[in-house]
Amino acid sequence: MGKTAITTQNAPKPPAKFSQAVRKGNILQVAGTVAFDPATNAIVGDDIATQTRQVFKNLEALLTEAGSSWADAMMVRVYLTDTSHFAPFNEVYNELIGEGPHSARTTVYVGLPAGLLVEIDVLCVLD
């Protein structure tokens, strides 16, 4: 069983040789996604709420392209650049994630390229 790359113009293109998402069998891995506008490749927003909304928009474009949705998500990894962003990020995340049961989630604090405040990757199991 081979891997299939999932690509869409509705999400930012990767900066290196990796797929926006890849599917093998019923497993879908969506690469770490940031708050770039796919049309301009510019960062959308300078606050955690605006960037989180753009990341969700980009992720949803990839999930849709793969025939998936948040309902298939088993693991969500969130990368934040500042611990003070945790509470405001969670407010937007809880608003956008949809109905449960919800996936497992890990949040870690990392350095991201200048101006980026959040990155999210998603692991899905499709029926």
Side-chain angles (χ1 to χ4, degrees):
M1 175 181 318
K3 292 189 294 187
T4 303
I6 308 297
T7 61
T8 178
Q9 297 298 315
N10 297 320
K13 291 184 173 137
K17 288 186 175 183
F18 61 88
S19 299
Q20 291 170 307
V22 66
R23 180 176 180 171
K24 184 171 184 178
N26 67 338
I27 304 293
L28 174 68
Q29 176 65 52
V30 180
T33 302
V34 295
F36 287 144
D37 180 313
T40 65
N41 218 31
I43 297 172
V44 175
D46 59 3
D47 62 272
I48 193 67
T50 303
Q51 286 197 17
T52 300
R53 289 181 190 288
Q54 183 64 41
V55 171
F56 263 74
K57 184 177 176 181
N58 294 340
L59 288 169
E60 288 170 357
L62 287 161
L63 292 171
T64 298
E65 185 68 26
S68 184
S69 71
W70 287 108
D72 296 321
M74 297 298 293
M75 180 63 190
V76 175
R77 280 176 291 263
V78 177
Y79 307 91
L80 297 175
T81 59
D82 190 321
T83 57
S84 70
H85 293 155
F86 189 72
F89 169 82
N90 280 333
E91 287 181 33
V92 176
Y93 180 91
N94 291 340
E95 173 191 332
L96 298 177
I97 197 64
E99 296 298 316
H102 297 107
S103 62
R105 189 183 109 188
T106 299
T107 304
V108 296
Y109 298 94
V110 299
L112 293 172
L116 292 170
L117 305 175
V118 59
E119 180 174 347
I120 301 174
D121 71 82
V122 182
L123 176 67
C124 295
V125 177
L126 310 178
D127 293 330

